[in-house]
Amino acid sequence: MIRNTLSYARELDQKDLLKDYREKFWIPQHNDKDCIYLCGNSLGLQPKETKYALLNELDHWKEHGVEGHFKGEMPWMYYHQFLSEAAAKIVGAQKDEVVIMNTLTTNLHLMMVSFYRPTSTRYKIIMEGGAFPSDQYAMESQAKFHGFDPDDAIIELVPRTGEHTLRTEDIIQTIMTHGDSVALVMIGGVNYYTGQLYNLEAITEAGHAIGAKVGFDLAHAAGNVPLQLHDWNVDFAVWCSYKYMNSSPGGSSGVFVHIMHGKNPDLPRFAGWWGHNEDERFLMKKGFIPMNGAAGWQLSNAQILSMAAHKVSLDMFDEVGMDALRTKSEKLIAYMIGLIDELNRQEQRFNIITPRSPKDRGCQLSILTGNDGKQLFDFLTENGVVADWREPNVIRVAAVPLYNSFEDVYRFVELLGKYNT
Ligand SMILES: *Cc1c(COP(=O)(O)O)cnc(C)c1O
């Protein structure tokens, strides 16, 4: 069989053990056909089940009013507990190390309160240059909040001249060079622009070796790549649920706090009643006593509708498991890389800047285009591809294992080949 034929792609789909999951999602339409949706890195698709989960909570509210907090199979009072276990498995954590709450940037700030505790000599933050803007603003405002000049306090990791991605040895070298002036190392797990997956274990070890705290923004990593946050001794992590985890626009965020910190009630934090010892929560007494684990960072009562949508997705992830997802994800992307390489054989037109080795990436490929990149992107859009354009000239595509098919990948690359400059 020749790889670059539609029938070969369909054969791969037939053999795909996860092929039935595509049916569980709504695929947006283009000219009455399924779009080639390659944007799960930005907003995951809607599971068909989500609507019923939301209706279920609306009915619960309709029927019980305030008593819904204590009644039914999933009383709202304990709602976060129904999500922690599945979420913990996705990031490689113990159940009590994870809590679902708030939104991503809010949680990043809450974690900074506890884990960015600068002194006059140890105050620097090491992060990626060109990080996702929200993370840049969060770090910058945190440095200022503590009275530091961000230009001095924030050390940015940048690729070597002529390279697009960071080398682990350079990251570690930067950490070592700044040594005991570093309070925190905070980088993305997978870079949103290049799709590079960093060596989180090695970075954590290096950060700890110089006495800094280490945290990760896993917006592009959670539900995408295998993670072992507990075993790697990561101090904290945050992620959103609406990208790879298909949990609705602006959906709930996840937080990981390593149990070595989660069991320490004296660790400074911004507190709210939902983080208070559950048995006494409604006694409305003075004096905050945090719950054990990440749950002790909760502020408010659970956002049930958003969390109900997230739970649908978490249950699906739990059913499939990250191993099976990752296995398919590696095949999908290897297939995409292979097809693009074939296109490039005559003339190098599509430069994949994402690392080629699966250990250094998830299921996003960032393709550097020529000067006509925007026209190419528009051509793809007109032909039913939903991808993502980043100035000045990168197209980001993600083939996600739950709902993308090998046929999606084939048709996308076929369109790339059809585009004429
Ligand atoms: C998507 C993303 C965000 C978005 O933050 P919200 O608070 O959910 O709006 C922040 N940081 C990174 C790295 C992201 O990829």
Side-chain angles (χ1 to χ4, degrees), residues 376-388:
L376 165 63
F377 182 75
D378 293 342
F379 168 81
L380 293 171
T381 307
E382 281 156 25
N383 285 285
V385 176
V386 182
D388 174 276

Side-chain angles (χ1 to χ4, degrees), residues 41-42 102-108 128 131-136 186-193 217-221 238-243 250-253 396:
N41 56 328
S42 190
N102 311 323
T103 48
L104 173 54
T105 309
T106 308
N107 286 336
L108 183 53
E128 307 148 89
F132 193 90
S134 205
D135 297 33
Q136 293 183 40
M186 207 313 287
I187 66 171
V190 170
N191 182 275
Y192 84 102
Y193 185 74
D217 184 332
L218 302 177
H220 284 265
V238 290
W239 58 92
C240 58
S241 65
Y242 51 82
K243 291 173 178 161
S252 307
S253 162
R396 298 188 305 167

Side-chain angles (χ1 to χ4, degrees), residues 20 31 52 195 250 264 348:
D20 294 341
N31 294 340
Y52 302 104
N264 173 10
Q348 176 77 24

